[in-house]
């Protein structure tokens, strides 16, 4: 390449970069979740997502997901941690499900477990997805607990609302976060505030998060916004 064409190329690159920075700085880009991506942006993000997940998830081993005990073990945790976004049998919608963009998929309807790669789902649940509302759950949930929830999701397709609720009630929350006794119990109310404050309470008291008594009594001072101070009942 001649020196002049290199200069032209460099000049062009600088212009593009400055232009991009200019748009970013100007505030013209609408970051609102309600402003949907252009088709091409969505496609690009989809490719980034697919490639990243399959590259990262390859090494994970998949256990037997049709195991009834596993399906049962996952139900209460799914209900407490996932249903408010991904819904469950008997839930028509939720504020989080509607408000987030990208919208959380209704997993039990939309995922076809015979076609899905379970180890990719495991990776997603453990690590979350950047720039979406999908959190990483791996900090407080073991790999086994994540498999349990995947098994539950797979079995939910054929469940009635009653069957789902019975399964949730029969299981116990096993995830490490405390303060779960009031989480996800009533699908039809928006109790996100309550959940957020619960999580704060649990974070501030990690050393005692297995102790329900301390959870209830000890948090008021350290976490003034914990659910102890709210006037709703469970
Ligand atoms: C605050 C809302 C929220 C919560 C709570 C949440 N998710 Fe998600 N989840 C999302 C969103 C948003 C996406 C879609 C991300 C995207 O489009 O790339 C997602 C994506 C997923 C996917 C990928 C679906 C696919 O089509 O590949 C799985 C699996 C998943 N979530 C499982 C879970 C599980 C299990 C839980 C509970 C432990 C959970 N999520 C809790 C918001 C949430």
């Amino acid at each position: 390449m001649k020196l002049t064409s290199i200069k032209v190329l460099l000049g062009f690159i600088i212009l593009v970069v400055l232009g991009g920075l200019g748009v970013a700085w100007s505030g013209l880009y609408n970051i609102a979740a309600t402003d949907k991506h252009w088709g091409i942006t969505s496609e690009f993000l989809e490719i980034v997502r697919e490639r990243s997940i399959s590259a990262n998830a390859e090494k994970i081993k998949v256990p037997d997901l049709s195991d009834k005990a596993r399906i049962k073990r996952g139900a209460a945790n799914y209900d407490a941690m996932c249903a408010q976004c991904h819904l469950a049998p008997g839930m028509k919608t939720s504020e989080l499900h509607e408000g987030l963009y990208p919208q959380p998929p209704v997993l039990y309807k939309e995922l076809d477990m015979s076609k899905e790669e379970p180890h990719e789902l495991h990776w997603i649940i453990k690590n979350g997805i950047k720039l979406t509302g999908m959190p990483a759950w791996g900090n407080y949930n073991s790999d086994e607990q994540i498999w349990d929830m995947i098994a539950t999701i797979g079995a939910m397709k054929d469940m009635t609302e009653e069957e789902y609720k019975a399964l949730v009630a029969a299981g116990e929350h096993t995830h490490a976060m405390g303060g779960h006794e009031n989480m996800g119990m009533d699908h039809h109310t928006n109790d996100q505030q309550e959940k957020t404050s619960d999580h704060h309470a649990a974070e501030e008291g990690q050393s005692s998060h297995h102790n329900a008594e301390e959870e209830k009594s000890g948090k008021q001072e350290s976490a003034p916004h914990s659910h102890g101070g709210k006037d709703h009942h469970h």
Side-chain angles (χ1 to χ4, degrees), residues 9-43:
L9 193 67
L10 273 179
F12 181 71
I13 291 171
I14 290 170
L15 269 180
V16 169
V17 170
L18 286 180
L21 287 175
V23 170
W25 188 251
S26 70
L28 286 175
Y29 183 79
N30 187 356
I31 198 87
T34 47
D35 184 56
K36 308 303 180 209
H37 292 308
W38 294 343
I40 186 155
T41 318
S42 296
E43 275 162 36

Side-chain angles (χ1 to χ4, degrees), residues 49 81-82 84-86 100 102 104-105 107 111 121 124-125 129 132-135 137 149 153:
R49 180 178 173 286
M81 298 187 288
C82 323
Q84 71 270 29
C85 283
H86 292 293
L100 281 170
L107 296 171
L111 288 185
L121 300 179
I124 292 174
I125 297 165
I129 305 175
T132 76
M134 176 58 187
W137 298 93
M149 288 190 284
I153 294 168

Side-chain angles (χ1 to χ4, degrees), residues 204-221:
E204 273 158 32
Q206 272 174 26
S207 56
S208 62
H209 58 225
H210 287 297
N211 186 330
E213 265 329 290
E214 267 184 73
E215 185 74 37
K216 285 200 189 85
S217 57
K219 292 297 153 42
Q220 247 92 323
E221 313 90 88

Side-chain angles (χ1 to χ4, degrees), residues 114-150:
S114 59
K115 295 198 192 105
E116 284 297 327
E117 296 286 356
H119 59 281
E120 294 193 6
L121 300 179
H122 193 280
W123 189 90
I124 292 174
I125 297 165
K126 190 167 174 175
N127 299 287
I129 305 175
K130 214 178 266 181
L131 294 179
T132 76
M134 176 58 187
W137 298 93
N139 294 338
Y140 292 93
N141 293 274
S142 68
D143 284 357
E144 281 304 303
Q145 285 168 332
I146 293 175
W147 284 124
D148 292 347
M149 288 190 284
I150 295 174

